[in-house]
């Protein structure tokens, strides 16, 4: 598979169906001509391109395995790279509405667990090389990102502090306790349901972790999941501007006006202040190493170093 570049002008990147695409029509309208959102997304694309050219010495070819996170909507000419802990459940629900040919009308009527059933959505890895190349060349491609350490704390809270996530406790928690807790109890070794954040950090930074297998997608770096220096995304949405970015994308692809991205109502959301609290007990040595682990995501998506980190 060949790497693809997005042009500066979205009009030439996404052709859509035969004739005049919804994207073309929107760009030709007064509404979008001087849009501040358009300028923001242009700036994000340029930042991404600059960082990629500075840090990527050799561009490798895509493998089918690289495309497992790219969800395909053939009806609207859309490719969405999902990143866990960045509103991906709601985006999958929206994609099910867009691709469901009327089967689904309201994203929130779709149970969360159903949004993650692999057979409910197609990913780009399922297509032939020719079909993959055609879609990468002509579809509108988007990804949503989040402040990396806030996303990490969100993943920890969801997977290790909630009692119902027994699969994660067994799969990862028991291993973390065995390796990174001095004199663990037998109960902790068997259940792995009381992993402390500090132990989770040790696990992430342990060289054995990535030698044995890739990171789980919930804490894998965005650049490793979505390959933004090989696949050039037309829109880089941010969790911090989720509502306006989601609306922008749905307008760009000419989605039916009745399709709305669900408004966030969660009061348990991981915030910057909450993230800072988790790092109070992490030593500067480990803070620096953890930041370096996620540094590329900070650079690519223009996030500043959090003020709570003690890196010196």
């Amino acid at each position: 598979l060949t790497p693809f570049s997005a042009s500066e002008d979205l009009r030439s990147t996404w052709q859509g169906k035969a004739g005049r695409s919804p994207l073309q029509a929107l760009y030709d309208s007064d509404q979008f001509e001087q849009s501040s959102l358009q300028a923001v997304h242009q700036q994000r694309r340029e930042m991404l391109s600059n960082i990629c050219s500075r840090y990527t010495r050799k561009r490798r070819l895509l493998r089918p395995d690289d495309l497992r996170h790219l969800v395909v909507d053939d009806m609207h000419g859309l490719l969405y790279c999902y990143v866990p802990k960045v509103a991906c459940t709601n985006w999958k629900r929206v994609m099910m509405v867009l691709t469901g040919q009327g089967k689904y009308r309201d994203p929130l009527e779709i149970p969360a667990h159903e949004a993650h059933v692999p057979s409910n959505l197609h990913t780009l890895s399922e297509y032939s090389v020719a079909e993959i190349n055609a879609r990468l060349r002509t579809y509108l491609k988007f990804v949503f990102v989040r402040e990396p350490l806030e996303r990490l704390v969100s993943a920890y809270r969801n997977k290790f502090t909630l009692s119902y996530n027994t699969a994660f406790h067994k799969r990862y928690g028991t291993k973390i306790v065995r390796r990174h807790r001095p004199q663990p109890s037998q109960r902790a070794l068997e259940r792995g349901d009381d992993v402390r954040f500090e132990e989770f950090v040790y696990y992430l930074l342990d060289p054995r972790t990535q030698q044995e297998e890739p990171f789980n997608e919930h804490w894998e770096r965005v650049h490793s999941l979505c390959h933004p220096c090989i696949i050039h995304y037309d829109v880089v949405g941010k969790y911090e501007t989720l509502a306006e970015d989601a609306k922008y994308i749905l307008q760009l692809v000419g989605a039916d006006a009745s399709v709305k991205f669900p408004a966030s109502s969660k009061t348990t959301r991981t915030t910057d202040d909450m993230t800072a609290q988790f790092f109070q007990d992490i030593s500067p040595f480990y803070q620096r190493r953890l930041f370096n682990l996620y540094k590329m995501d900070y650079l690519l998506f223009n996030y500043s170093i959090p003020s709570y980190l003690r890196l010196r």
Side-chain angles (χ1 to χ4, degrees):
L1 302 175
T2 50
F4 284 96
S5 300
S7 69
E8 290 304 302
D9 187 339
L10 284 176
R11 278 176 293 194
S12 59
T13 306
W14 189 74
Q15 301 303 318
K17 306 294 174 285
R20 203 156 162 272
S21 73
L23 185 56
Q24 183 88 49
L26 276 168
Y27 264 84
D28 289 344
S29 72
D30 291 340
Q31 180 188 356
F32 269 74
E33 208 60 61
Q34 299 300 326
S35 161
S36 59
L37 260 178
Q38 184 186 339
V40 164
H41 287 286
Q42 173 77 9
Q43 197 174 22
R44 288 178 189 173
R45 284 197 305 277
E46 287 175 356
M47 167 69 70
L48 192 53
S49 176
N50 289 340
I51 297 295
C52 284
S53 60
R54 194 183 308 171
Y55 287 90
T56 311
R57 290 178 182 84
K58 187 179 179 184
R59 298 184 67 188
R60 66 174 180 82
L61 298 182
L62 287 165
R63 299 182 298 265
D65 199 49
D66 295 326
L67 307 173
R68 289 179 300 109
H69 274 247
L70 279 155
V71 176
V72 181
D73 173 6
D74 283 324
M75 293 177 68
H76 297 87
L78 195 58
L79 293 175
Y80 159 55
C81 189
Y82 71 89
V83 178
K85 307 313 299 174
V86 193
C88 84
T89 302
N90 278 342
W91 263 117
K92 285 182 177 181
R93 285 167 161 155
V94 169
M95 295 295 280
M96 285 173 71
V97 171
L98 292 175
T99 59
Q101 298 175 307
K103 183 180 175 184
Y104 309 99
R105 298 205 176 272
D106 180 359
L108 285 178
E109 287 177 358
I110 302 170
H113 68 87
E114 204 169 310
H116 297 291
V117 174
S119 59
N120 283 335
L121 290 165
H122 291 294
T123 64
L124 200 54
S125 58
E126 298 167 35
Y127 291 75
S128 72
V129 171
E131 290 170 331
I132 289 168
N133 286 342
R135 282 159 179 76
L136 282 171
R137 195 179 294 112
T138 60
Y139 282 15
L140 186 131
K141 302 172 286 294
F142 76 98
V143 59
F144 268 77
V145 300
R146 183 177 184 177
E147 203 287 327
L149 293 184
E150 185 182 294
R151 175 176 167 248
L152 183 68
V153 168
S154 178
Y156 165 77
R157 291 180 66 219
N158 181 258
K159 299 305 173 190
F160 293 106
T161 70
L162 300 178
S163 59
Y164 62 78
N165 270 323
T166 51
F168 269 79
H169 302 159
K170 286 278 187 187
R171 173 82 173 76
Y172 297 101
T174 54
K175 182 186 288 188
I176 292 170
V177 167
R178 187 170 68 251
R179 285 190 175 171
H180 302 291
R181 182 178 300 178
Q183 300 178 316
S185 69
Q186 192 58 38
R187 181 192 178 281
L189 285 168
E190 289 170 3
R191 299 179 64 157
D193 59 355
D194 63 346
V195 170
R196 296 189 285 272
F197 183 66
E198 188 176 24
E199 295 168 334
F200 179 51
V201 169
Y202 296 156
Y203 165 76
L204 293 172
L205 297 173
D206 185 340
R208 291 172 292 182
T209 301
Q210 286 199 74
Q211 285 167 9
E212 289 170 357
E213 61 181 341
F215 273 173
N216 179 276
E217 62 179 14
H218 290 83
W219 45 86
E220 180 59 279
R221 285 69 54 95
V222 176
H223 71 269
S224 297
L225 292 175
C226 295
H227 312 285
C229 292
I230 309 174
I231 299 168
H232 288 194
Y233 289 92
D234 303 301
V235 180
V236 177
K238 292 202 169 187
Y239 192 72
E240 296 77 13
T241 51
L242 176 60
E244 51 264 51
D245 290 347
K247 183 179 177 183
Y248 178 66
I249 289 162
L250 291 173
Q251 285 180 312
L252 284 179
V253 296
D256 191 283
S258 65
V259 180
K260 307 282 187 197
F261 190 84
S264 179
S265 59
K266 288 184 91 172
T267 52
T268 56
R269 186 176 83 77
T270 303
T271 62
D272 186 61
D273 287 345
M274 196 182 290
T275 303
Q277 290 172 18
F278 277 87
F279 279 89
Q280 283 178 351
D281 297 326
I282 306 296
S283 73
F285 173 76
Y286 282 106
Q287 287 189 13
R288 189 182 309 111
R289 288 185 62 201
L290 193 66
F291 174 77
N292 286 337
L293 185 63
Y294 290 91
K295 185 177 180 179
M296 211 47 212
D297 280 357
Y298 274 95
L299 292 169
L300 288 167
F301 306 116
N302 197 25
Y303 283 105
S304 9
I305 300 172
S307 58
Y308 55 78
L309 284 188
R310 306 185 301 281
L311 300 181
R312 292 179 184 172

